[in-house]
């Protein structure tokens, strides 16, 4: 029944137009670890003070130039990124700003600042533990017992993703209707910890950021592994909200804005992970050849 409303794995899916009505709260409360991943809260807005944006390669990597001034981090470090592709993406963020610089739209720049300054002073092991901890409250592992239509929707849409992750990584994850959530085996944590250890510090910052957006380690793995698109991962993470909106209607613009913002942050975090992994991936492939 519900698959005709929200076809998440169909590349061409579209939600039906939703009538405006009183919003309904989510069918159950969810708790999740508070993410320390992006400690910097970007300033809101500032008048644009530069005309041109360019990229130069320095000793430490690729730098961003605003006219003749080099971009700096909040801690006044030289803003240097490890790959040319990431530098181009960041430069595009700066170049696309109009008369006013809207820092809250510049997710790649903020992730780079966090990676360069490491304001929370966490090491690689701490980043990995923070990401894996989300398994305890993973969105798609918590299930409702009623209403039947939502139970069916969760089963149809979330179960295949869990099954994919279990097969892909050779682990057990499962789901539960208990408020305590599923019991995640220690072996599963060990396997996923080892998998995340294959990423560098920059990529791990991006992974934790995406996990925090989706409130799901499983969906993040599907997204990073290209098993899911950003649109699919976001809708899967909002399955209950979309169910309520389909049933009761949405606020005139707030729900659509929230959806677009979540897509933008998730897309930026995913792109950041891939661009930060690019150079090491290319080197690995060259060595294999």
């Amino acid at each position: 029944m519900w698959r005709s409303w929200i076809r998440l794995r169909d590349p061409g899916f579209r939600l039906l137009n939703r009538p405006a009505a009183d919003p309904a709260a989510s069918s159950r409360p969810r708790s999740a670890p508070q993410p320390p991943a992006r400690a910097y809260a970007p300033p809101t807005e500032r008048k644009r003070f530069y005309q041109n944006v360019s990229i130069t390669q320095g000793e430490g990597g690729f730098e961003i130039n605003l006219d003749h001034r080099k971009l700096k981090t909040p801690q006044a470090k030289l803003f240097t990124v490890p790959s040319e592709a990431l530098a181009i993406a960041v430069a595009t963020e700066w170049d696309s700003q109009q008369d006013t610089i809207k820092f809250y739209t510049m997710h790649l720049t903020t992730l780079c600042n966090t990676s360069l300054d490491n304001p929370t002073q966490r090491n690689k092991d701490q980043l990995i533990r923070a990401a894996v901890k989300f398994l305890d409250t993973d969105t798609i592992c918590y299930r409702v017992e009623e209403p039947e239509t939502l139970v069916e929707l969760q089963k149809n849409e979330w179960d295949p993703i869990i099954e994919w992750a279990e097969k892909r990584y050779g682990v057990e994850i499962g789901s539960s209707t208990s408020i305590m959530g599923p019991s995640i085996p220690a072996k599963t944590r060990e396997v996923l910890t080892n998998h995340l250890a294959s990423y560098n510090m920059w990529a791990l910052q991006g992974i934790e950021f995406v996990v925090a957006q989706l409130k799901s380690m499983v969906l993040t793995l599907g997204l990073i592994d290209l098993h899911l698109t950003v649109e699919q991962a976001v809708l899967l993470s909002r399955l209950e909200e979309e169910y309520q909106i389909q049933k009761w209607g949405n606020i005139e613009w707030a729900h659509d804005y929230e959806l677009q913002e979540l897509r933008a942050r998730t897309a930026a975090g995913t792109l950041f992970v891939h661009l930060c992994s690019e150079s090491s991936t290319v080197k690995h492939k060259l060595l294999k050849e």
Side-chain angles (χ1 to χ4, degrees), residues 60-73:
F62 294 88
E63 304 164 2
I64 310 297
N65 307 302
L66 307 177
D67 291 334
H68 300 295
R69 290 182 285 188
K70 294 186 180 297
L71 186 61
K72 299 290 183 67
T73 71

Side-chain angles (χ1 to χ4, degrees), residues 150-181:
L150 181 53
V151 172
E152 180 185 356
L153 180 62
Q154 290 180 337
K155 176 179 175 60
N156 290 341
E157 301 296 348
W158 285 348
D159 279 5
I161 307 303
I162 292 179
E163 291 167 5
W164 167 83
E166 290 178 332
K167 182 177 179 180
R168 164 70 173 82
Y169 297 100
V171 297
E172 295 180 16
I173 298 174
S175 62
S176 174
T177 57
S178 167
I179 193 172
M180 301 302 293

Side-chain angles (χ1 to χ4, degrees), residues 110-166:
T110 305
L111 281 166
C112 289
N113 282 332
T114 300
S115 297
L116 288 164
D117 286 349
N118 191 14
T120 56
Q121 295 299 304
R122 290 182 299 165
N123 58 32
K124 187 172 182 176
D125 289 340
Q126 290 171 318
L127 283 174
I128 293 172
R129 285 199 299 271
V132 173
K133 185 174 177 57
F134 266 89
L135 281 172
D136 295 329
T137 55
D138 199 293
T139 293
I140 72 172
C141 293
Y142 277 83
R143 304 299 173 85
V144 298
E145 295 181 304
E146 57 181 13
E148 184 179 345
T149 48
L150 181 53
V151 172
E152 180 185 356
L153 180 62
Q154 290 180 337
K155 176 179 175 60
N156 290 341
E157 301 296 348
W158 285 348
D159 279 5
I161 307 303
I162 292 179
E163 291 167 5
W164 167 83
E166 290 178 332

Side-chain angles (χ1 to χ4, degrees), residues 59-125:
E59 292 183 1
F62 294 88
E63 304 164 2
I64 310 297
N65 307 302
L66 307 177
D67 291 334
H68 300 295
R69 290 182 285 188
K70 294 186 180 297
L71 186 61
K72 299 290 183 67
T73 71
Q75 292 185 12
K77 295 178 182 176
L78 182 62
F79 190 100
T80 307
V81 300
S83 75
E84 184 177 14
L86 180 57
I88 292 171
V90 171
T92 300
E93 280 190 334
W94 285 89
D95 194 46
S96 64
Q97 303 301 306
Q98 303 301 314
D99 294 337
T100 302
I101 306 172
K102 298 180 178 180
F103 293 100
Y104 53 84
T105 68
M106 304 170 71
H107 307 300
L108 292 174
T109 298
T110 305
L111 281 166
C112 289
N113 282 332
T114 300
S115 297
L116 288 164
D117 286 349
N118 191 14
T120 56
Q121 295 299 304
R122 290 182 299 165
N123 58 32
K124 187 172 182 176
D125 289 340

